[in-house]
Amino acid sequence: MPSTPLDESRRTTPHSVGESFRIKMVQTLQKVPYDVRASALREAAYNVLRLPRERVYLDFASTRGNAGMTDRQLSALMIGDEAYAGSANFYALEQTCRDLFGKQFTVPTHQGRGAEHLILRGLLRPGQTVATNGNVLTLRPLADALGLRVESLLSSDAFDPSSKHAFKADPPLAKLKALLEGGRVHLVVLGASLPMLGGQPLSLEALADCAALARRYRVPLALDASMLASAAYLTLTNRRGGDTLSALIRRYADLCDVLYLSGREDATCHTGGLIATNHEELYVTFRSLVVVYEGLHTYGGQAGRDMQVLAQGLRDMLDESYLAFRTRKLAYLARHLAEAGYQVYQPLGLSGVCLDAATAPIPGLTEPARSDEPGAARSANLAALFYLVSGIRLRPTPTAALGGRLDLLGVFVPRRCYTERQIDYLIESLAHLRKYRIATTLQIRDRDPVAPELTRYRVDGPFITEYHDDFRPTYTPEPYFMKVVEPCRLKPAAERATAIREAGYNTFLLRSEDIYIDLLTDSGTAAMSNKQWATMLEIRESELGSEASSLFLERCREVLGYRHFLPTHQGRAAEHLLSQAMISQGQYVINNMYFTTTREHQERAGGVFVDLIRDEAHDPRSPHPFKGDLDPGKLTDFIAKHGPQTIAYVCVETNVNMAGGQPVSMAGTKEISAICRYHRIPVIFDATRIAENAFLIKTREPAYADWTIGEIIRELMALGDGCTISAKKDVLVNIGGILGVNDPALFEKCAALCATFEGTPWSGGLASRDLAAMAVGLDEMTEYDYIRSRVEQVQYLWARLKDAGVPVVEPPGGHAVFLDARAFLPHLPQEEFPAQRLAAALYEMSGVRGMERGIVSAGRDPATGRHRGSKLELVRLTIPRRVYTYSHMDVVADGVIELFRKREALKGLRMVYEPPMLRFFTARFELL
Ligand SMILES: Cc1ncc(COP(=O)(O)O)c(C=O)c1O
């Protein structure tokens, strides 16, 4: 039996608010084994900031330049106008600064420090002083290089981890006034948020006060707006009043003479910066410097594409629902770290969570250093220990450079990058850290001449007591992080009500933009990986003898094992070709239940559809682990009654969709295959969900527990003579299908049909890039960590619903959770379309789109013209692959549970329009 991988205490997780985005592109995460971590740490001289990225599993050391881009930023990359002068992208950036900040003049720079350089050089002479609350890490070395002095403008509150002051970036006004009065400051630079302290914000009031002072003494004021959206959002949540986020941003911007930023923080770029101002004489100063140090004033050291990405990122950073989600996510992290015994720096900003290293509950850290030489900060010791134990990098952040005495360990959370499960993994690893003891603390070996934070350490003895590989997290996190995301949001209830009414209560007729979480289908909805995208870009488009075709065929043969393959534009096309090639008029086709398009093509080819699935498949309550299996007794009887020659083939669907994503077993399929081989009846798999089925065989059929997913797939496929596949599911692509057979004569027939209906037999009517994406997807689907996290996410949603008493099809399948609409709405007769009604109501309740799988999908009997009726009356909630996170699953679960409480109020539907075939796609209904 399947075991749900959940532990009771975590089942009601706190993520009832979902992200304001879904995942569009993922990148694989690699775990780093202990031995490799240990040697990498030694090579990095025990300073985690010296570790190469590929030696780090999860990287929480910085929020700079490592965010997941939005899909619009990704497309902005593609509209780079790489002109030397007057690039269209520059004008897009300039317009964005006018719209967002109200600044007329914009000077692009290669990064934030490029902007800082021009500002310091342009506005100060050697020997003069800049006063700042902010970014000393980049400002101080620049000031040193230019012969300038730096005055810190941080208040004592900033160094008090328990002070509740909401705006710890606010400078001490009296100090600033004294400095200005004494003529000892010539430029004021204020950071809108302080990343080193977790993103502490600067208040609008403090900025206004400083601006008034600076004006009085005729000293220019520059605002570092790299995290201005964060600061403005925290201001919004701390005050009452009618300002919108963009209005507040504008008010901050209005108070400074010069605004500058790094695109690598709130604007989620990987490079790029800018200076913006309304003062023409300042602009002229920067413009004459930018050409010397950065690039021409209309590109300033950025590629055209990067300016476009920055322009887009600045607009995307106004997404308030993302900032709200991030706030909650960081609060969740902080709460759990506090529970694990760490003192958390308060209040939280929007960069991450800082822990007080001085009070961290780790044995050994409190021991005095053994040599006279000063030891490394505790945060450096802690970060080294944590990396060694978990492979996760945090950032040691002693605040001496800021003029304080705090020693913080920064958990900086990259934007739109890691999922909750990965955050949970971090939390559990930090709690687990207490099991270790630092045996010998780090000593400073030599300071780095370029960057003080890159100091090398040595350890005069063993660093930690023995390592035990005993960390068992509650969940296995997804084996990928988010590379590109796509915004999605919940529309207001009234708009959802209108949308579903206008869609005739058919979720197929809703517009995607009206949906928050789209569980209509797992078909073509997967997030592709960076590797798939890279291969797509690499491949040459060619209709003849395409290299993509060779790659595709090679992976098909390796993963699926048949001799001949054809690509098709999608699954139903493969079904079309195969049905036409194999079925003669009046022949039976045996199936394990049915899939709509499969059955349609069998019948159109003259076949007589027969369902011989085992009886448990029709019972949503039966916990049988392999409800997808054909019933061998029924098959034998059928053959005995009709004769084997009357049967065109037996079609075995893996992870039977219409039965609730229920798998077939290896043992059961072997039995069916043996019967068919004996009678010379071909077996054709619908292997659309073969990887999920293989995972369920591995976890439910003990004989295969030690087999790899790839081995199970090959073993299963070897029981058949061919397959059709909709590659839009397990193969992780957005378009594509596969037809595979062993028999060369059958292949010839299919290839000829392919040329007629699809395209050349080596392209199947697909672009070469789509063949390439399928080739990579075939490999990715067999990776154990991936398929496990995929199926476990489905099981998680299932378990939450089941625990709340919602009637769901049992046991959980591989790709979807099916609600039993008959049991959910027992007061509605099937003629009132209970599943159709439930799907529509769920959309209205929570913006979640599911699909009817019941009497509407079953269609009408062509002979009698009556509804075919359907034993199962289900709503399918299908989870797209690598797209949604656990917090999205919680939103879905909460919505269904709420609806279940209110179920009695739901009335049935009347069908008011019915198309002649596949009616579920376009039928329309009205409320009774
Ligand atoms: C089991 C099964 N077979 C075949 C198909 C048809 O494939 P496609 O939609 O790619 O034409 C699907 C699609 O939903 C499916 O789930």
Side-chain angles (χ1 to χ4, degrees):
M1 273 311 298
S3 58
T4 53
L6 303 172
D7 135 325
E8 288 302 325
S9 63
R10 286 299 190 95
R11 194 166 284 175
T12 48
T13 46
H15 318 295
S16 49
V17 174
E19 284 95 332
S20 59
F21 53 83
R22 50 176 87 105
I23 308 173
K24 193 88 178 183
M25 192 198 300
V26 298
Q27 179 156 0
T28 310
L29 270 175
Q30 231 85 48
K31 284 207 171 167
V32 185
Y34 176 74
D35 293 353
V36 179
R37 300 198 297 265
S39 63
L41 191 62
R42 269 195 307 276
E43 279 163 31
Y46 290 90
N47 184 338
V48 294
L49 300 181
R50 304 186 72 96
L51 287 165
R53 179 64 186 87
E54 71 270 17
R55 292 284 178 261
V56 176
Y57 170 43
L58 305 173
D59 202 352
F60 289 93
S62 165
T63 56
R64 293 200 154 197
N66 54 8
M69 284 196 278
T70 63
D71 52 352
R72 290 174 296 214
Q73 283 182 292
L74 181 68
S75 50
L77 264 185
M78 291 294 132
I79 47 176
D81 169 12
E82 307 301 343
Y84 191 85
S87 159
N89 309 131
F90 166 73
Y91 295 107
L93 185 59
E94 186 185 55
Q95 190 57 48
T96 304
C97 288
R98 288 180 182 158
D99 294 348
L100 257 60
F101 306 128
K103 302 289 184 212
Q104 278 306 303
F105 305 108
T106 294
V107 175
T109 59
H110 76 281
Q111 245 183 229
R113 79 191 64 182
E116 282 169 343
H117 174 205
L118 302 192
I119 291 170
L120 294 186
R121 191 182 278 276
L123 302 185
L124 297 176
R125 291 191 308 279
Q128 290 190 321
T129 299
V130 51
T132 183
N133 69 346
N135 189 10
V136 284
L137 278 187
T138 51
L139 267 186
R140 198 178 289 276
L142 274 170
D144 288 348
L146 299 175
L148 305 170
R149 281 199 286 267
V150 180
E151 262 308 331
S152 169
L153 279 184
L154 281 171
S155 69
S156 55
D157 263 334
F159 301 111
D160 177 357
S162 51
S163 141
K164 296 280 188 291
H165 194 295
F167 295 95
K168 285 186 168 175
D170 285 358
L173 262 192
K175 179 173 179 185
L176 178 61
K177 184 155 184 269
L179 287 168
L180 288 166
E181 250 169 21
R184 285 181 285 141
V185 164
H186 311 92
L187 170 68
V188 178
V189 174
L190 294 183
S193 299
L194 302 184
M196 272 180 84
L197 297 176
Q200 294 302 313
L202 169 75
S203 68
L204 192 62
E205 291 71 22
L207 178 61
D209 291 343
C210 293
L213 273 179
R215 211 171 308 121
R216 188 177 329 147
Y217 293 96
R218 296 177 181 281
V219 167
L221 183 131
L223 176 69
D224 175 352
S226 311
M227 287 183 60
L228 180 52
S230 296
Y233 181 74
L234 292 172
T235 305
L236 267 188
T237 54
N238 268 294
R239 58 147 71 180
R240 288 196 208 108
D243 272 333
T244 61
L245 187 67
S246 49
L248 256 183
I249 287 178
R250 186 62 183 268
R251 290 178 64 187
Y252 272 88
D254 284 346
L255 288 166
C256 64
D257 302 305
V258 177
L259 176 147
Y260 76 93
L261 57 86
S262 161
R264 300 193 303 154
E265 291 277 9
D266 280 349
T268 63
C269 298
H270 304 133
T271 184
L274 61 83
I275 304 174
T277 181
N278 279 332
H279 298 286
E280 193 160 2
E281 70 290 358
L282 294 181
Y283 167 63
V284 171
T285 304
F286 302 135
R287 192 181 61 187
S288 44
L289 283 173
V290 76
V291 294
V292 181
Y293 292 102
E294 299 286 303
L296 195 65
H297 63 288
T298 51
Y299 75 86
Q302 289 185 54
R305 60 174 175 269
D306 292 320
M307 289 190 284
Q308 193 72 37
V309 175
L310 178 53
Q312 187 61 53
L314 288 169
R315 292 185 189 275
D316 289 343
M317 81 180 183
L318 302 180
D319 179 357
E320 223 174 288
S321 48
Y322 170 64
L323 291 162
F325 175 74
R326 185 165 171 81
T327 307
R328 288 193 185 91
K329 192 166 182 168
L330 292 179
Y332 170 74
L333 173 61
R335 193 169 66 247
H336 284 275
L337 293 183
E339 274 170 27
Y342 294 90
Q343 191 182 351
V344 172
Y345 181 96
Q346 293 286 353
L348 298 175
L350 275 167
S351 293
V353 175
C354 291
L355 308 176
D356 185 5
T359 56
I362 307 302
L365 253 188
T366 50
E367 284 176 16
R370 286 183 197 165
S371 85
D372 297 339
E373 212 179 320
R378 285 181 179 180
S379 57
N381 279 278
L382 262 180
L385 171 66
F386 189 52
Y387 168 71
L388 199 58
V389 171
S390 68
I392 301 176
R393 172 156 62 185
L394 305 181
R395 192 183 199 100
T397 313
T399 61
L402 293 174
R405 292 162 58 121
L406 268 183
D407 183 16
L408 298 174
L409 182 63
V411 185
F412 295 108
V413 181
R415 296 169 180 82
R416 304 195 201 97
C417 181
Y418 294 124
T419 66
E420 296 76 28
R421 281 294 166 266
Q422 287 151 0
I423 301 266
D424 281 344
Y425 186 88
L426 165 83
I427 292 167
E428 292 193 22
S429 318
L430 266 166
H432 180 73
L433 203 60
R434 310 171 71 156
K435 296 202 170 168
Y436 291 88
R437 176 176 196 82
I438 292 187
T440 318
T441 49
L442 306 179
Q443 302 299 312
I444 292 173
R445 192 174 99 197
D446 47 64
R447 293 188 192 279
D448 190 278
V450 182
E453 55 177 0
L454 294 185
T455 298
R456 290 185 182 77
Y457 304 113
R458 54 164 221 276
V459 192
D460 304 327
F463 177 47
I464 59 168
T465 48
E466 208 180 329
Y467 172 76
H468 337 272
D469 189 8
D470 61 350
F471 175 46
R472 300 281 173 271
T474 314
Y475 301 107
T476 314
E478 297 86 342
Y480 51 79
F481 65 92
M482 310 175 206
K483 184 98 174 165
V484 179
V485 302
E486 175 186 5
C488 60
R489 58 173 56 88
L490 180 63
K491 292 216 158 173
E495 289 180 31
R496 299 199 297 272
T498 309
I500 192 70
R501 197 179 54 248
E502 287 177 355
Y505 295 91
N506 184 344
T507 53
F508 276 100
L509 299 177
L510 285 167
R511 288 161 181 254
S512 159
E513 66 185 34
D514 291 331
I515 316 287
Y516 175 36
I517 298 174
D518 200 347
L519 306 186
L520 185 73
T521 171
D522 61 335
S523 182
T525 50
M528 288 205 296
S529 67
N530 61 316
K531 196 166 165 202
Q532 285 177 297
W533 280 101
T535 313
M536 283 169 82
L537 290 177
E538 230 169 67
I539 225 76
R540 276 173 287 226
E541 287 297 334
S542 163
E543 200 188 23
L544 301 172
S546 148
E547 58 202 316
S549 165
S550 319
L551 194 62
F552 167 78
L553 292 177
E554 184 210 318
R555 295 328 297 151
C556 282
R557 287 192 190 117
E558 173 77 22
V559 175
L560 302 165
Y562 298 114
R563 283 191 209 106
H564 307 285
F565 286 93
L566 287 169
T568 58
H569 81 272
Q570 56 180 59
R572 71 198 69 190
E575 291 168 351
H576 172 211
L577 308 187
L578 191 91
S579 304
Q580 293 293 330
M582 287 188 79
I583 303 171
S584 308
Q585 186 64 36
Q587 271 192 313
Y588 295 109
V589 193
I590 314 285
N591 292 263
N592 50 346
M593 205 168 263
Y594 75 102
F595 184 74
T596 50
T597 58
T598 321
R599 177 176 184 159
E600 181 78 25
H601 281 298
Q602 292 170 0
E603 291 179 347
R604 281 170 174 256
V608 179
F609 169 88
V610 181
D611 170 14
L612 297 183
I613 200 165
R614 56 184 314 144
D615 289 340
E616 289 89 340
H618 295 285
D619 174 6
R621 297 263 110 52
S622 158
H624 194 285
F626 291 106
K627 287 160 95 171
D629 276 337
L630 278 153
D631 185 323
K634 288 188 200 170
L635 179 62
T636 313
D637 291 350
F638 192 92
I639 296 170
K641 184 165 172 204
H642 299 276
Q645 71 289 349
T646 64
I647 300 171
Y649 57 92
V650 171
C651 178
V652 179
E653 183 188 333
T654 51
N655 251 27
V656 180
N657 193 350
M658 302 295 270
Q662 301 299 331
V664 297
S665 65
M666 187 71 83
T669 311
K670 281 191 170 162
E671 202 178 339
I672 297 298
S673 171
I675 297 170
C676 291
R677 293 243 150 104
Y678 178 79
H679 292 289
R680 296 177 177 277
I681 302 169
V683 172
I684 300 292
F685 283 101
D686 178 342
T688 294
R689 294 183 179 81
I690 179 70
E692 288 160 3
N693 199 128
F695 177 79
L696 293 172
I697 287 177
K698 186 175 166 72
T699 49
R700 295 181 188 179
E701 221 172 329
Y704 298 92
D706 296 330
W707 288 45
T708 66
I709 299 298
E711 286 165 351
I712 296 173
I713 292 177
R714 286 287 293 255
E715 180 85 353
L716 195 63
M717 290 297 96
L719 300 174
D721 303 283
C723 69
T724 59
I725 292 183
S726 168
K728 297 167 68 170
K729 283 81 172 178
D730 271 1
V731 186
L732 294 164
V733 293
N734 308 120
I735 197 73
I738 301 172
L739 194 165
V741 291
N742 280 333
D743 175 6
L746 176 60
F747 174 71
E748 290 303 324
K749 267 174 136 177
C750 292
L753 285 162
C754 181
T756 308
F757 291 101
E758 296 292 296
T760 59
W762 43 89
S763 77
L766 288 166
S768 302
R769 62 170 176 270
D770 294 318
L771 293 178
M774 279 203 278
V776 179
L778 278 164
D779 281 337
E780 289 183 358
M781 76 174 187
T782 64
E783 284 165 17
Y784 174 71
D785 282 346
Y786 154 68
I787 195 71
R788 174 177 169 186
S789 76
R790 151 76 178 156
V791 177
E792 281 185 359
Q793 193 186 48
V794 176
Q795 292 177 342
Y796 172 80
L797 175 61
W798 182 88
R800 277 216 54 199
L801 296 177
K802 170 96 180 138
D803 283 356
V806 174
V808 283
V809 172
E810 305 199 23
H815 71 294
V817 174
F818 286 70
L819 307 178
D820 181 356
R822 274 186 205 271
F824 202 112
L825 300 174
H827 56 289
L828 298 188
Q830 201 172 22
E831 297 68 41
E832 293 182 12
F833 311 106
Q836 188 78 26
R837 178 68 187 111
L838 183 53
L842 179 61
Y843 167 73
E844 230 182 300
M845 167 71 70
S846 53
V848 174
R849 168 154 77 171
M851 166 198 301
E852 191 263 11
R853 278 296 175 232
I855 188 168
V856 183
S857 297
R860 286 186 193 272
D861 187 324
T864 65
R866 302 234 294 269
H867 289 311
R868 267 194 189 113
S870 163
K871 284 190 196 149
L872 294 179
E873 183 69 20
L874 307 175
V875 171
R876 192 180 80 170
L877 302 175
T878 326
I879 321 296
R881 294 167 183 80
R882 305 195 289 209
V883 171
Y884 292 109
T885 68
Y886 278 83
S887 68
H888 290 120
M889 293 304 109
D890 283 330
V891 171
V892 176
D894 292 346
V896 174
I897 292 166
E898 180 70 7
L899 201 58
F900 189 57
R901 282 197 202 106
K902 300 180 174 166
R903 61 191 181 278
E904 276 160 23
L906 292 182
K907 301 224 167 63
L909 295 171
R910 175 161 59 93
M911 201 188 297
V912 292
Y913 166 71
E914 181 174 359
M917 61 192 76
L918 298 181
R919 63 182 183 176
F920 56 94
F921 284 129
T922 51
R924 300 185 69 87
F925 302 82
E926 277 174 7
L927 281 183
L928 278 173

